[in-house]
Amino acid sequence: MEHDVVDTLISPEGKLEVLSKAEVNKLLDSGKGGLYNIFRNCALAVLNCGSTIDDGKELLERFTSFDINIMQRERGIKLEIKGAPAIAFVDGKMIKGIHEHLFAVLRDIVFVSNEVTDNPKFDLGRSEGITDAVFHILRNANVLQPQLNPNLVVCWGGHSINRAEYNYSKEVGYQMGLRALDICTGCGPGAMKGPMKGATIGHAKQRFGAGRYLGITEPGIIAAESPNPIVNDLVIMPDIEKRLEAFVRTGHGIVVFPGGAGTAEEILYILGILLHPDNEDLPFPLIFTGPESSREYFVQINDFIGRTLGEKAQQRYKIIVDDPELVAKEMVEGIKLVREFRKARSDAYYFNWALKIDEEFQRPFTPTHENMRNLSLHKNQPTHLLAAQLRRAFSGVVAGNVKDEGIRAIEKYGHFEIHGDAEIMGPMDALLASFVAQSRMKLAGKAYTPCYRIVQ
């Protein structure tokens, strides 16, 4: 099937410095160790913004003729693009937000490869080294704003949500925008787009011209969650763990909307961190919210958390159903406490250095069939470490659902097998089954074939 495509040549605008010949060669080297494939796949995802694909493999197969080349000129670089999805253009000109995102992709992939991954200065085998790398990637992307008071709310939630939930996320964003709160999301569709859209209207009404819409993604997920053009700061972190750490280090509070396995992964990540003994007194507003129609979703999530991580975990968040204004007010109050706490300790407002993140949450987890089988899903361990293991289980389900590599692994070797104690596997099986029943695993209209099997 033919899809509308466009060829074009574009120049960077402001955000990207000149690349050296070595950097260009590294990007164009499609062999082993080269960055070309990762750059091409991320660029295609950015250009496919607004489409209804949430399948990395399908996207790559649909636009096989897509190609992107870096042309080095005396005055800098240009990108030569062939076979780009026509959805990225209006009257033959590329949408400005998408244009910016393409160069953000280029900036982050070059910086991470040259300055972080291949740099002995960063010891990525140690917790402090990983946090340092996260800090440097964010600083290089110019998203750490030291002069601002805390006001950045991270919004998590599913890319595959229904219209009522999407409209609700927009209303919450609007109420937060009216109160001069900025928005950070995973930058894709659904609950990642709604709050940003709502906040733009709230900011406009308050004549708040400097609204920030920060999108944080990673190469494995970007195809399934193409950045929406409202995002005015896009950062591509090297892996899911650094993406999650970037969210909790830069954000001053988190709002969670309904979602599927990816949202459960994010919830387990933040709860696992907040349950660490060192973070017991750290203020961190965390609100789960949705319209009346998604009340049952939060009942199930709350039940799952209670049965696996216990009552202490349930005390770290508030559930607010069908009240966008209350969500915004609670977030404003929560962020006030964050500001007072950091001010008293002379901590930075723009990066949460005080948050203790256990190495178990930072080490990249590759969801192979063997790694999924070997997860330690039992209660005979500290609760925050059980949360880390559960987070990995849901991360594997996300990979099998939407990531190119994960989908191919499932096609080749069959289902991921998830083993563990019955008292954990039972609630997990019930939660995942409810996601399937509520069509939270794939975008609307697509049949879902499970990529996992629960073994008690």
Side-chain angles (χ1 to χ4, degrees), residues 102-346:
L102 269 183
F103 285 96
V105 166
L106 185 59
R107 173 202 70 210
D108 290 342
I109 285 171
V110 168
F111 179 79
V112 167
S113 173
N114 289 342
E115 304 297 326
V116 179
T117 321
D118 300 341
N119 187 348
K121 189 181 96 174
F122 292 104
D123 181 356
L124 298 177
R126 287 173 59 249
S127 183
E128 293 81 2
I130 293 169
T131 297
D132 209 24
V134 169
F135 174 83
H136 277 80
I137 295 166
L138 292 169
R139 187 175 70 178
N140 182 63
N142 204 27
V143 298
L144 302 178
Q145 305 285 346
Q147 67 279 18
L148 296 181
N149 270 322
N151 77 332
L152 187 63
V153 182
V154 174
C155 294
W156 284 338
H159 72 294
S160 169
I161 57 174
N162 60 43
R163 177 51 66 177
E165 289 170 349
Y166 175 73
N167 288 342
Y168 181 83
S169 75
K170 212 155 74 172
E171 182 61 30
V172 172
Y174 169 67
Q175 291 294 341
M176 293 199 289
L178 286 175
R179 291 161 177 82
L181 295 173
D182 284 333
I183 307 291
C184 169
T185 76
C187 78
M192 292 167 268
K193 183 179 174 186
M196 288 187 169
K197 257 193 153 171
T200 55
I201 306 298
H203 288 159
K205 284 189 177 181
Q206 295 284 25
R207 303 295 185 263
F208 183 58
R212 296 177 69 212
Y213 314 103
L214 172 60
I216 303 177
T217 185
E218 55 102 17
I221 204 87
I222 194 171
E225 296 174 358
S226 293
N228 68 75
I230 296 168
V231 171
N232 58 11
D233 269 319
L234 176 67
V235 191
I236 290 93
M237 302 301 288
D239 51 58
I240 195 80
E241 286 75 14
K242 290 179 189 64
R243 180 196 193 197
L244 288 166
E245 181 163 352
F247 280 131
V248 300
R249 296 264 186 211
T250 53
H252 303 109
I254 295 178
V255 174
V256 183
F257 295 99
T263 306
E265 175 184 3
E266 289 163 341
I267 288 171
L268 288 161
Y269 179 84
I270 185 61
L271 286 179
I273 289 168
L274 295 177
L275 288 168
H276 192 288
D278 291 7
N279 297 326
E280 210 163 320
D281 301 324
L282 199 85
F284 202 111
L286 176 59
I287 298 170
F288 300 171
T289 191
E292 184 57 48
S293 57
S294 59
R295 184 182 290 274
E296 184 56 29
Y297 171 83
F298 290 109
V299 168
Q300 288 162 330
I301 287 277
N302 188 51
D303 180 60
F304 172 76
I305 291 166
R307 289 168 71 184
T308 54
L309 302 179
E311 203 181 320
K312 204 170 179 185
Q314 290 174 317
Q315 289 165 357
R316 289 298 322 220
Y317 55 83
K318 285 180 180 171
I319 297 176
I320 298 174
V321 175
D322 212 22
D323 195 340
E325 204 174 319
L326 183 61
V327 173
K329 284 179 174 172
E330 288 279 350
M331 195 43 74
V332 168
E333 288 308 309
I335 289 176
K336 271 185 196 161
L337 295 177
V338 170
R339 183 174 183 268
E340 285 162 17
F341 181 83
R342 297 210 196 163
K343 197 174 180 184
R345 297 169 46 130
S346 301

Side-chain angles (χ1 to χ4, degrees), residues 427-449:
M428 185 172 182
D429 197 14
L431 187 64
L432 285 167
S434 75
F435 292 166
V436 176
Q438 295 166 19
S439 303
R440 296 190 183 280
M441 293 296 214
K442 296 294 279 181
L443 286 171
K446 294 201 175 182
Y448 176 65
T449 310

